[in-house]
Amino acid sequence: MNKTVHYKTLADLHKGNGWPPPEHPLLSVVSCKNDCSMGDREFTSNCYLIGFKKLKAGVILYGRTHYDHTNGSMLFVKPRQIIEMKYMEFEEDGFMILIHEDYLAGHELHHAIQKYNFFDYETNEALHLSPKEEAIIWDLFNKIAGEYSTNQDEYSREIIIGHISSILMYSQRFYKRQFINRTDMSGKTVTKFNEALRLYYESGYLQTKGLPSVQSLAEQLYVSPRYLSDLLKQETGKTAMDLIHISLISEAKNQLRASDQSVAEIAYGLGFENTSYFTRLFKKQVGIKPLEFKKQSLN
C-alpha cells in the first residue's frame, strides 16, 4: 500500500502534484480543466480545501469513503484529513481553493470555520448544487481567483477571506435546502433514528454495550455523526444526543412508574454506569430527581 504523504506547506503540495508554485505561501487557487490530478496516492496537508467538481470518471476517497461523482458537488476537507484522488476526468471545469490554516490566524474566520459541520461530513454526504446555486459559488470563486492572480496588497487577504466566508455561509444555506429535499424524498430521519433506538433497546444492547452513542446509531443509518445531528436538528430542533437523552428518560419514567426496581437498578438496566449521572440527566429533563418522581407516581 502506498504511504500517506503529508504536505506541511502549500509549495510542497503544489510541487508534489506538478502544479505551478502558488502565488501566496498560505493560499492557492487551482482551476481544473478536464483533469485536476493530485497524484495517485493518499495525502494529508495543513490546509482547508474547498472545491467544486463534476466528475466523468475517477475516484475520490476521503475518510475512506467513495465520493458520489454523479452531480456537481462541493468538497470540504479540513487539515490533516486523509484524501486521495485517482484517474480523475472532469465533465466540466472544477476548482480547488487551498487555505493553509495559518492564513486564517488572527482572523475571526479562524474560529468561525469550526462551526461549519460539513468539514466533518463523509464524502457520500457531499453538497449537490442546483444550477442557480452553482452560479453563485462560481461567482464567488471567480472573485477570489481575480484577487489572487493580481498583485496582492494590504486589502487582498481581507477581501479573499470575505469571499471564502460567503462560500461557507452559502454552503450552509444550500445544505439546509438539501436536508429538506432529502426529507421529502426519503422520509423523516427522526423516524428512522427512533427505530434504530428501539432496535438498540430490544437487542439488549443497553445491558451489553451501555448507553447508545451518536456514532453507533449513525453507523446503523449509514451517515456520519455530524450529518445525522444536523439532519435531526433541521427536522426536530434537537441534536441526536438530545433525542437519545429524551428517549432514555422516557423509558426511565415508564420503568419508575411500573417497576418495583430501585433507581439504581433502573439506571444500570438502561446502560448508565453510575446513578449520579442518571439522576442529573433525569432532573435536567424532568425537573425532579427519579426517586421523587417514583414517589409521586405511587401516590
Side-chain angles (χ1 to χ4, degrees), residues 23 26 40 53 63 107-108 167 198 204 223 252 254 265 278:
E23 299 287 335
L26 299 177
D40 292 335
K53 50 79 187 170
H107 193 281
E108 62 182 25
I167 287 177
R198 186 185 65 77
V223 294
N254 287 335
E265 287 171 329
F278 169 68

mmCIF file with all atom_site columns, all heavy atoms in Angstrom, residues 23 26 40 53 63 107-108 167 198 204 223 252 254 265 278:
data_model
loop_
_atom_site.group_PDB
_atom_site.id
_atom_site.type_symbol
_atom_site.label_atom_id
_atom_site.label_alt_id
_atom_site.label_comp_id
_atom_site.label_asym_id
_atom_site.label_entity_id
_atom_site.label_seq_id
_atom_site.pdbx_PDB_ins_code
_atom_site.Cartn_x
_atom_site.Cartn_y
_atom_site.Cartn_z
_atom_site.occupancy
_atom_site.B_iso_or_equiv
_atom_site.pdbx_formal_charge
_atom_site.auth_seq_id
_atom_site.auth_comp_id
_atom_site.auth_asym_id
_atom_site.auth_atom_id
_atom_site.pdbx_PDB_model_num
ATOM 1   N N   . GLU A 1 23  ? 0.807   31.508 -5.785  1.00 0.00 ? 23  GLU A N   1
ATOM 2   C CA  . GLU A 1 23  ? 1.055   32.960 -5.792  1.00 0.00 ? 23  GLU A CA  1
ATOM 3   C C   . GLU A 1 23  ? 1.261   33.494 -4.372  1.00 0.00 ? 23  GLU A C   1
ATOM 4   O O   . GLU A 1 23  ? 1.815   34.569 -4.185  1.00 0.00 ? 23  GLU A O   1
ATOM 5   C CB  . GLU A 1 23  ? -0.141  33.688 -6.433  1.00 0.00 ? 23  GLU A CB  1
ATOM 6   C CG  . GLU A 1 23  ? -0.422  33.330 -7.872  1.00 0.00 ? 23  GLU A CG  1
ATOM 7   C CD  . GLU A 1 23  ? 0.617   33.915 -8.822  1.00 0.00 ? 23  GLU A CD  1
ATOM 8   O OE1 . GLU A 1 23  ? 1.242   34.939 -8.471  1.00 0.00 ? 23  GLU A OE1 1
ATOM 9   O OE2 . GLU A 1 23  ? 0.803   33.332 -9.908  1.00 0.00 ? 23  GLU A OE2 1
ATOM 10  N N   . LEU A 1 26  ? 0.491   30.850 1.666   1.00 0.00 ? 26  LEU A N   1
ATOM 11  C CA  . LEU A 1 26  ? -0.528  30.252 2.537   1.00 0.00 ? 26  LEU A CA  1
ATOM 12  C C   . LEU A 1 26  ? -1.897  30.111 1.864   1.00 0.00 ? 26  LEU A C   1
ATOM 13  O O   . LEU A 1 26  ? -2.853  29.684 2.494   1.00 0.00 ? 26  LEU A O   1
ATOM 14  C CB  . LEU A 1 26  ? -0.683  31.088 3.821   1.00 0.00 ? 26  LEU A CB  1
ATOM 15  C CG  . LEU A 1 26  ? 0.565   31.220 4.700   1.00 0.00 ? 26  LEU A CG  1
ATOM 16  C CD1 . LEU A 1 26  ? 0.281   32.131 5.891   1.00 0.00 ? 26  LEU A CD1 1
ATOM 17  C CD2 . LEU A 1 26  ? 1.043   29.851 5.190   1.00 0.00 ? 26  LEU A CD2 1
ATOM 18  N N   . ASP A 1 40  ? -1.463  9.805  -7.452  1.00 0.00 ? 40  ASP A N   1
ATOM 19  C CA  . ASP A 1 40  ? -2.188  8.553  -7.260  1.00 0.00 ? 40  ASP A CA  1
ATOM 20  C C   . ASP A 1 40  ? -1.834  7.954  -5.901  1.00 0.00 ? 40  ASP A C   1
ATOM 21  O O   . ASP A 1 40  ? -1.437  6.806  -5.791  1.00 0.00 ? 40  ASP A O   1
ATOM 22  C CB  . ASP A 1 40  ? -1.860  7.565  -8.393  1.00 0.00 ? 40  ASP A CB  1
ATOM 23  C CG  . ASP A 1 40  ? -2.433  8.046  -9.716  1.00 0.00 ? 40  ASP A CG  1
ATOM 24  O OD1 . ASP A 1 40  ? -3.414  8.809  -9.685  1.00 0.00 ? 40  ASP A OD1 1
ATOM 25  O OD2 . ASP A 1 40  ? -1.894  7.655  -10.762 1.00 0.00 ? 40  ASP A OD2 1
ATOM 26  N N   . LYS A 1 53  ? -16.586 20.092 -8.116  1.00 0.00 ? 53  LYS A N   1
ATOM 27  C CA  . LYS A 1 53  ? -16.217 19.210 -9.215  1.00 0.00 ? 53  LYS A CA  1
ATOM 28  C C   . LYS A 1 53  ? -17.445 18.552 -9.834  1.00 0.00 ? 53  LYS A C   1
ATOM 29  O O   . LYS A 1 53  ? -18.474 18.343 -9.177  1.00 0.00 ? 53  LYS A O   1
ATOM 30  C CB  . LYS A 1 53  ? -15.214 18.159 -8.735  1.00 0.00 ? 53  LYS A CB  1
ATOM 31  C CG  . LYS A 1 53  ? -15.614 17.407 -7.456  1.00 0.00 ? 53  LYS A CG  1
ATOM 32  C CD  . LYS A 1 53  ? -16.610 16.303 -7.664  1.00 0.00 ? 53  LYS A CD  1
ATOM 33  C CE  . LYS A 1 53  ? -17.111 15.709 -6.406  1.00 0.00 ? 53  LYS A CE  1
ATOM 34  N NZ  . LYS A 1 53  ? -18.229 14.797 -6.583  1.00 0.00 ? 53  LYS A NZ  1
ATOM 35  N N   . GLY A 1 63  ? -11.616 10.105 4.039   1.00 0.00 ? 63  GLY A N   1
ATOM 36  C CA  . GLY A 1 63  ? -12.075 9.368  5.197   1.00 0.00 ? 63  GLY A CA  1
ATOM 37  C C   . GLY A 1 63  ? -12.481 7.959  4.822   1.00 0.00 ? 63  GLY A C   1
ATOM 38  O O   . GLY A 1 63  ? -13.395 7.382  5.390   1.00 0.00 ? 63  GLY A O   1
ATOM 39  N N   . HIS A 1 107 ? -7.674  36.047 12.363  1.00 0.00 ? 107 HIS A N   1
ATOM 40  C CA  . HIS A 1 107 ? -8.928  36.493 11.746  1.00 0.00 ? 107 HIS A CA  1
ATOM 41  C C   . HIS A 1 107 ? -10.086 35.744 12.404  1.00 0.00 ? 107 HIS A C   1
ATOM 42  O O   . HIS A 1 107 ? -9.932  34.597 12.836  1.00 0.00 ? 107 HIS A O   1
ATOM 43  C CB  . HIS A 1 107 ? -8.906  36.208 10.246  1.00 0.00 ? 107 HIS A CB  1
ATOM 44  C CG  . HIS A 1 107 ? -9.998  36.890 9.480   1.00 0.00 ? 107 HIS A CG  1
ATOM 45  N ND1 . HIS A 1 107 ? -11.294 36.421 9.443   1.00 0.00 ? 107 HIS A ND1 1
ATOM 46  C CD2 . HIS A 1 107 ? -9.990  38.029 8.726   1.00 0.00 ? 107 HIS A CD2 1
ATOM 47  C CE1 . HIS A 1 107 ? -12.031 37.223 8.692   1.00 0.00 ? 107 HIS A CE1 1
ATOM 48  N NE2 . HIS A 1 107 ? -11.264 38.211 8.242   1.00 0.00 ? 107 HIS A NE2 1
ATOM 49  N N   . GLU A 1 108 ? -11.243 36.370 12.463  1.00 0.00 ? 108 GLU A N   1
ATOM 50  C CA  . GLU A 1 108 ? -12.382 35.721 13.122  1.00 0.00 ? 108 GLU A CA  1
ATOM 51  C C   . GLU A 1 108 ? -12.793 34.420 12.441  1.00 0.00 ? 108 GLU A C   1
ATOM 52  O O   . GLU A 1 108 ? -13.356 33.522 13.072  1.00 0.00 ? 108 GLU A O   1
ATOM 53  C CB  . GLU A 1 108 ? -13.584 36.672 13.184  1.00 0.00 ? 108 GLU A CB  1
ATOM 54  C CG  . GLU A 1 108 ? -14.123 37.099 11.842  1.00 0.00 ? 108 GLU A CG  1
ATOM 55  C CD  . GLU A 1 108 ? -15.288 38.085 11.952  1.00 0.00 ? 108 GLU A CD  1
ATOM 56  O OE1 . GLU A 1 108 ? -15.378 38.793 12.973  1.00 0.00 ? 108 GLU A OE1 1
ATOM 57  O OE2 . GLU A 1 108 ? -16.081 38.142 10.994  1.00 0.00 ? 108 GLU A OE2 1
ATOM 58  N N   . ILE A 1 167 ? -18.736 31.840 0.681   1.00 0.00 ? 167 ILE A N   1
ATOM 59  C CA  . ILE A 1 167 ? -18.892 30.476 0.154   1.00 0.00 ? 167 ILE A CA  1
ATOM 60  C C   . ILE A 1 167 ? -19.366 29.537 1.252   1.00 0.00 ? 167 ILE A C   1
ATOM 61  O O   . ILE A 1 167 ? -20.273 28.716 1.053   1.00 0.00 ? 167 ILE A O   1
ATOM 62  C CB  . ILE A 1 167 ? -17.564 29.966 -0.467  1.00 0.00 ? 167 ILE A CB  1
ATOM 63  C CG1 . ILE A 1 167 ? -17.308 30.669 -1.811  1.00 0.00 ? 167 ILE A CG1 1
ATOM 64  C CG2 . ILE A 1 167 ? -17.609 28.448 -0.668  1.00 0.00 ? 167 ILE A CG2 1
ATOM 65  C CD1 . ILE A 1 167 ? -15.988 30.283 -2.465  1.00 0.00 ? 167 ILE A CD1 1
ATOM 66  N N   . ARG A 1 198 ? -35.019 2.016  19.054  1.00 0.00 ? 198 ARG A N   1
ATOM 67  C CA  . ARG A 1 198 ? -35.894 0.929  19.522  1.00 0.00 ? 198 ARG A CA  1
ATOM 68  C C   . ARG A 1 198 ? -35.211 -0.420 19.343  1.00 0.00 ? 198 ARG A C   1
ATOM 69  O O   . ARG A 1 198 ? -35.228 -1.278 20.254  1.00 0.00 ? 198 ARG A O   1
ATOM 70  C CB  . ARG A 1 198 ? -37.219 0.964  18.754  1.00 0.00 ? 198 ARG A CB  1
ATOM 71  C CG  . ARG A 1 198 ? -38.256 -0.030 19.259  1.00 0.00 ? 198 ARG A CG  1
ATOM 72  C CD  . ARG A 1 198 ? -39.510 -0.021 18.380  1.00 0.00 ? 198 ARG A CD  1
ATOM 73  N NE  . ARG A 1 198 ? -39.246 -0.492 17.029  1.00 0.00 ? 198 ARG A NE  1
ATOM 74  C CZ  . ARG A 1 198 ? -39.101 -1.774 16.701  1.00 0.00 ? 198 ARG A CZ  1
ATOM 75  N NH1 . ARG A 1 198 ? -39.196 -2.731 17.610  1.00 0.00 ? 198 ARG A NH1 1
ATOM 76  N NH2 . ARG A 1 198 ? -38.879 -2.121 15.443  1.00 0.00 ? 198 ARG A NH2 1
ATOM 77  N N   . GLY A 1 204 ? -31.082 -5.701 23.511  1.00 0.00 ? 204 GLY A N   1
ATOM 78  C CA  . GLY A 1 204 ? -30.394 -5.878 24.787  1.00 0.00 ? 204 GLY A CA  1
ATOM 79  C C   . GLY A 1 204 ? -29.054 -5.172 24.863  1.00 0.00 ? 204 GLY A C   1
ATOM 80  O O   . GLY A 1 204 ? -28.243 -5.447 25.754  1.00 0.00 ? 204 GLY A O   1
ATOM 81  N N   . VAL A 1 223 ? -24.815 7.186  7.889   1.00 0.00 ? 223 VAL A N   1
ATOM 82  C CA  . VAL A 1 223 ? -24.438 8.593  7.774   1.00 0.00 ? 223 VAL A CA  1
ATOM 83  C C   . VAL A 1 223 ? -23.383 8.895  8.823   1.00 0.00 ? 223 VAL A C   1
ATOM 84  O O   . VAL A 1 223 ? -23.153 8.096  9.737   1.00 0.00 ? 223 VAL A O   1
ATOM 85  C CB  . VAL A 1 223 ? -25.651 9.555  7.970   1.00 0.00 ? 223 VAL A CB  1
ATOM 86  C CG1 . VAL A 1 223 ? -26.659 9.397  6.855   1.00 0.00 ? 223 VAL A CG1 1
ATOM 87  C CG2 . VAL A 1 223 ? -26.318 9.327  9.320   1.00 0.00 ? 223 VAL A CG2 1
ATOM 88  N N   . ALA A 1 252 ? -37.054 5.544  31.282  1.00 0.00 ? 252 ALA A N   1
ATOM 89  C CA  . ALA A 1 252 ? -36.836 5.544  32.733  1.00 0.00 ? 252 ALA A CA  1
ATOM 90  C C   . ALA A 1 252 ? -38.143 5.874  33.472  1.00 0.00 ? 252 ALA A C   1
ATOM 91  O O   . ALA A 1 252 ? -38.478 5.244  34.482  1.00 0.00 ? 252 ALA A O   1
ATOM 92  C CB  . ALA A 1 252 ? -35.753 6.553  33.101  1.00 0.00 ? 252 ALA A CB  1
ATOM 93  N N   . ASN A 1 254 ? -41.182 5.341  32.452  1.00 0.00 ? 254 ASN A N   1
ATOM 94  C CA  . ASN A 1 254 ? -42.068 4.177  32.364  1.00 0.00 ? 254 ASN A CA  1
ATOM 95  C C   . ASN A 1 254 ? -41.708 3.141  33.422  1.00 0.00 ? 254 ASN A C   1
ATOM 96  O O   . ASN A 1 254 ? -42.574 2.577  34.094  1.00 0.00 ? 254 ASN A O   1
ATOM 97  C CB  . ASN A 1 254 ? -41.981 3.532  30.972  1.00 0.00 ? 254 ASN A CB  1
ATOM 98  C CG  . ASN A 1 254 ? -42.669 4.358  29.907  1.00 0.00 ? 254 ASN A CG  1
ATOM 99  O OD1 . ASN A 1 254 ? -43.572 5.128  30.211  1.00 0.00 ? 254 ASN A OD1 1
ATOM 100 N ND2 . ASN A 1 254 ? -42.237 4.204  28.666  1.00 0.00 ? 254 ASN A ND2 1
ATOM 101 N N   . GLU A 1 265 ? -31.087 0.185  40.117  1.00 0.00 ? 265 GLU A N   1
ATOM 102 C CA  . GLU A 1 265 ? -31.308 -0.961 39.220  1.00 0.00 ? 265 GLU A CA  1
ATOM 103 C C   . GLU A 1 265 ? -31.812 -0.495 37.854  1.00 0.00 ? 265 GLU A C   1
ATOM 104 O O   . GLU A 1 265 ? -31.396 -1.007 36.813  1.00 0.00 ? 265 GLU A O   1
ATOM 105 C CB  . GLU A 1 265 ? -32.307 -1.930 39.853  1.00 0.00 ? 265 GLU A CB  1
ATOM 106 C CG  . GLU A 1 265 ? -31.739 -2.723 41.018  1.00 0.00 ? 265 GLU A CG  1
ATOM 107 C CD  . GLU A 1 265 ? -32.802 -3.516 41.769  1.00 0.00 ? 265 GLU A CD  1
ATOM 108 O OE1 . GLU A 1 265 ? -33.972 -3.063 41.822  1.00 0.00 ? 265 GLU A OE1 1
ATOM 109 O OE2 . GLU A 1 265 ? -32.449 -4.583 42.302  1.00 0.00 ? 265 GLU A OE2 1
ATOM 110 N N   . PHE A 1 278 ? -27.175 9.404  35.917  1.00 0.00 ? 278 PHE A N   1
ATOM 111 C CA  . PHE A 1 278 ? -28.581 9.158  35.592  1.00 0.00 ? 278 PHE A CA  1
ATOM 112 C C   . PHE A 1 278 ? -29.479 10.162 36.312  1.00 0.00 ? 278 PHE A C   1
ATOM 113 O O   . PHE A 1 278 ? -30.384 10.753 35.717  1.00 0.00 ? 278 PHE A O   1
ATOM 114 C CB  . PHE A 1 278 ? -28.963 7.722  35.982  1.00 0.00 ? 278 PHE A CB  1
ATOM 115 C CG  . PHE A 1 278 ? -30.446 7.444  35.924  1.00 0.00 ? 278 PHE A CG  1
ATOM 116 C CD1 . PHE A 1 278 ? -31.117 7.416  34.712  1.00 0.00 ? 278 PHE A CD1 1
ATOM 117 C CD2 . PHE A 1 278 ? -31.164 7.205  37.096  1.00 0.00 ? 278 PHE A CD2 1
ATOM 118 C CE1 . PHE A 1 278 ? -32.484 7.168  34.660  1.00 0.00 ? 278 PHE A CE1 1
ATOM 119 C CE2 . PHE A 1 278 ? -32.529 6.951  37.048  1.00 0.00 ? 278 PHE A CE2 1
ATOM 120 C CZ  . PHE A 1 278 ? -33.189 6.926  35.824  1.00 0.00 ? 278 PHE A CZ  1
#
